[in-house]
Amino acid sequence: METSMLRRLAAMKKRYEEIEGELESEEVASDLKKLTALSKEKAGLEEGVRQFDEYNKLTAQLLEANQAIELGDPELSELAHEEKKEIEAKLEGLEESLKIELLPKDPNDSKNIIVEIRGAVGGDEANIFAGDLFRMYSKYAETQGWKVKVLDWSEGAMGGYTFVSFMVKGENVYSKLKFESGAHRVQRVPKTEAQGRIHTSTATVLVMPEAEEVEVTINPADLKIDTYRSQGAGGQNVNKTESAVRVTHVPTGIVVSCQTEKAQLQNKEICMQMLRSKLYSYYEEKLESERAAERKLKVGTGERSEKIRTYNYPQNRVTDHRIGFTIQKLDRVMEGEIEEIIEALIHFDQEQKLLEHA
């Protein structure tokens, strides 16, 4: 391993030990904000420190094996040679893994997310597909032990949704689903098609990290707040009072709404949570466009208009166009088995970052 890499790993371990010490102090224990920040930082370093400790342990074992070989005892030397091969293979794998651990971390990776799915091109079929995508992500979240909470929705006339927004809470949610933003295309015979012809429709997905109050400052004077009656399935009124809330951020034109809770105040709180995340993403995108030469997400821009994936029903095929990845398991994918696609995207992103930092 290169000396520079060893220095960086040693610095990482030193920082980890410093955090452990800080977390034991009374000052940090009484400061929730600082306690949370340090705990998150510690969790982000844990795996790298564990691997570095394993690397140092194996390096010591390799030194012992070499010393045994130098002693010249034939029987002992043969055993030591075998052990040396095994250790060197493990060290090689650990070195590659540690390179990834040293890559700059996305500060949003550990966050919960807010997702918006909209039926786009294709009318009723696009809305039905938007509903299929919502079901796919919900089932995947279930396999991960995450919680899904619907925030707002507008049902399609023939099923599905013209629009649905929901929050996903759990461990490292953003790190897994951050590459899902963009246009998802479906090719199939729609339920609404009488002639049996294959149609192409699209739905758009937007994934936003949940933003804390300290990360986004919102001036109350910039807000326009409206209330209305919440709607149930089929459009019937389920609340005789105006409990649903719509908030417009006038400077940016961003609009959020929520109708899931019975109390207006609770819906307003959820709206503010959604607005913070939207504004956070809005300002992040502006920052990214200013430094477009070094785009953060090499697997895609994350824009709604960018076609990222095709779901082809006749061929039972899913293709992610950004990385040229195809699997013939569409039936399983739509049941929430998307881990293989997600892992491929994460691996590609890591490879691109390793090239950048080589």
Side-chain angles (χ1 to χ4, degrees):
M1 188 183 287
E2 293 178 6
T3 307
S4 60
M5 187 172 167
L6 282 169
R7 276 202 299 265
R8 289 171 66 198
L9 287 166
M12 178 179 69
K13 182 168 183 181
K14 184 182 177 186
R15 176 57 188 154
Y16 181 83
E17 290 168 347
E18 284 173 354
I19 294 170
E20 282 189 317
E22 287 182 61
L23 287 171
E24 290 174 4
S25 71
E26 288 183 16
E27 181 190 343
V28 170
S30 60
D31 187 338
L32 185 60
K33 184 180 167 185
K34 195 168 185 180
L35 179 68
T36 303
L38 285 171
S39 297
K40 282 184 178 179
E41 188 182 353
K42 180 174 179 272
L45 296 173
E46 239 157 34
E47 182 57 21
V49 170
R50 186 195 67 76
Q51 290 185 22
F52 186 44
D53 286 343
E54 179 66 13
Y55 185 89
N56 287 331
K57 181 181 168 185
L58 287 169
T59 302
Q61 289 175 1
L62 182 63
L63 180 62
E64 289 175 7
N66 283 327
Q67 288 172 343
I69 291 167
E70 288 171 9
L71 289 173
D73 182 294
E75 190 175 338
L76 188 61
S77 182
E78 188 179 343
L79 288 170
H81 272 293
E82 287 300 316
E83 188 182 2
K84 182 181 178 181
K85 282 181 188 176
E86 288 178 17
I87 293 169
E88 286 176 338
K90 286 178 183 176
L91 283 171
E92 189 178 341
L94 266 177
E95 187 168 342
E96 291 306 307
S97 186
L98 282 166
K99 283 179 185 176
I100 291 169
E101 289 298 323
L102 283 173
L103 289 172
K105 298 280 193 300
D106 185 334
N108 295 321
D109 274 354
S110 63
K111 291 183 177 180
N112 299 323
I113 61 171
I114 291 174
V115 185
E116 290 183 356
I117 304 176
R118 296 175 186 269
V121 180
D124 289 332
E125 168 63 3
N127 297 338
I128 292 168
F129 181 51
D132 293 339
L133 290 175
F134 170 65
R135 180 174 176 273
M136 177 185 81
Y137 290 126
S138 297
K139 281 188 164 287
Y140 176 67
E142 195 178 323
T143 68
Q144 300 297 302
W146 300 338
K147 291 183 179 178
V148 174
K149 179 181 176 65
V150 176
L151 304 174
D152 195 21
W153 72 93
S154 174
E155 293 180 338
M158 300 295 291
Y161 299 96
T162 60
F163 164 77
V164 60
S165 70
F166 56 99
M167 175 173 277
V168 186
K169 289 188 173 185
E171 189 175 344
N172 297 319
V173 180
Y174 186 74
S175 71
K176 290 266 193 169
L177 294 179
K178 63 183 175 183
F179 299 124
E180 294 301 299
S181 291
H184 294 239
R185 182 174 70 171
V186 63
Q187 294 173 326
R188 65 185 177 189
V189 178
K191 296 173 186 175
T192 53
E193 168 60 53
Q195 304 298 319
R197 293 171 298 185
I198 294 172
H199 286 224
T200 298
S201 306
T202 59
T204 61
V205 176
L206 178 63
V207 177
M208 300 168 286
E210 184 184 16
E212 305 291 337
E213 284 188 53
V214 292
E215 294 173 309
V216 179
T217 303
I218 299 174
N219 185 349
D222 291 337
L223 304 179
K224 179 176 178 287
I225 300 174
D226 301 301
T227 58
Y228 58 99
R229 290 185 181 182
S230 57
Q231 301 290 306
Q236 81 253 24
N237 283 311
V238 294
N239 198 330
K240 293 181 180 179
T241 61
E242 294 191 340
S243 61
V245 177
R246 183 185 300 109
V247 179
T248 303
H249 185 254
V250 178
T252 60
I254 291 172
V255 180
V256 295
S257 54
C258 182
Q259 56 176 314
T260 55
E261 305 300 325
K262 290 181 180 179
Q264 190 182 106
L265 183 61
Q266 288 174 302
N267 283 325
K268 184 183 175 185
E269 286 174 358
I270 292 171
C271 277
M272 294 306 294
Q273 196 174 24
M274 294 165 71
L275 183 60
R276 280 195 298 272
S277 294
K278 280 205 165 192
L279 286 171
Y280 182 84
S281 295
Y282 173 82
Y283 293 125
E284 282 278 292
E285 279 179 29
K286 280 191 74 174
L287 189 64
E288 279 302 313
S289 64
E290 288 168 9
R291 55 187 188 208
E294 43 178 312
R295 263 201 353 230
K296 179 172 63 178
L297 297 181
K298 297 298 180 182
V299 295
T301 63
E303 293 177 2
R304 283 187 189 274
S305 58
E306 183 189 18
K307 183 185 75 179
I308 65 166
R309 195 174 298 151
T310 294
Y311 303 74
N312 185 294
Y313 275 71
Q315 297 176 19
N316 197 37
R317 170 175 56 82
V318 181
T319 298
D320 195 288
H321 304 289
R322 297 163 294 180
I323 58 175
F325 180 82
T326 296
I327 53 173
Q328 306 290 145
K329 299 178 185 176
L330 183 142
D331 54 335
R332 304 314 311 153
V333 165
M334 299 314 291
E335 291 298 315
E337 295 181 18
I338 58 174
E339 185 72 15
E340 197 173 340
I341 300 171
I342 287 168
E343 287 299 326
L345 287 163
I346 291 172
H347 183 66
F348 180 86
D349 185 54
Q350 288 173 343
E351 285 182 338
Q352 296 303 301
K353 286 175 179 173
L354 284 170
L355 289 172
E356 285 176 21
H357 292 85

